[in-house]
Amino acid sequence: MASNSTSDNLRAELKSLADTLEEVLQTSTDKPKAELDKLRSKAEGLLKDTRSRLGDTGEKIASQTKEIAGKADDYVHDKPWTGVGIGAAVGVVIGVLLARR
């Protein structure tokens, strides 16, 4: 649930950044320099925040993936024949799906 909230927040931030950049591009000839500088500063701030959030999210995903891989490794070491059976079943399913093509 937390990753869904993070994903939604990230989407909102990216949309806000895109909207701000679009506004800068569309109004660059219509607005005075002071307003353009203000919009540019806002866009730069949003970009920095978004980059930071993307980095944090990437690190969280990498850490979750490592944790899941570690649990899977432990499970296979504890129950090797179950792991072999699951691998064989997945192989059969993939083989059947590929044979249908």
Side-chain angles (χ1 to χ4, degrees), residues 12 25 35 40 45-46 54-55 57 62-63 74 79 95 97:
L25 292 173
E35 282 188 55
R40 183 174 180 217
L46 285 171
L54 282 172
T57 301
S63 122
D74 290 344
K79 301 178 182 181
L97 292 174

Side-chain angles (χ1 to χ4, degrees), residues 13-76:
E13 285 183 27
L14 288 171
K15 183 181 180 334
S16 176
L17 175 61
D19 291 345
T20 302
L21 291 174
E22 186 176 3
E23 184 180 353
V24 168
L25 292 173
Q26 287 178 353
T27 62
S28 62
T29 57
D30 299 342
K31 294 200 178 203
K33 185 171 177 8
E35 282 188 55
L36 286 176
D37 288 343
K38 182 179 174 184
L39 282 172
R40 183 174 180 217
S41 295
K42 179 180 174 185
E44 286 174 348
L46 285 171
L47 182 59
K48 286 179 185 176
D49 289 346
T50 302
R51 279 186 179 162
S52 173
R53 297 270 307 210
L54 282 172
D56 293 344
T57 301
E59 289 174 13
K60 286 179 186 176
I61 290 171
S63 122
Q64 289 173 350
T65 303
K66 286 179 186 177
E67 183 179 335
I68 290 169
K71 287 180 182 180
D73 187 51
D74 290 344
Y75 181 81
V76 169

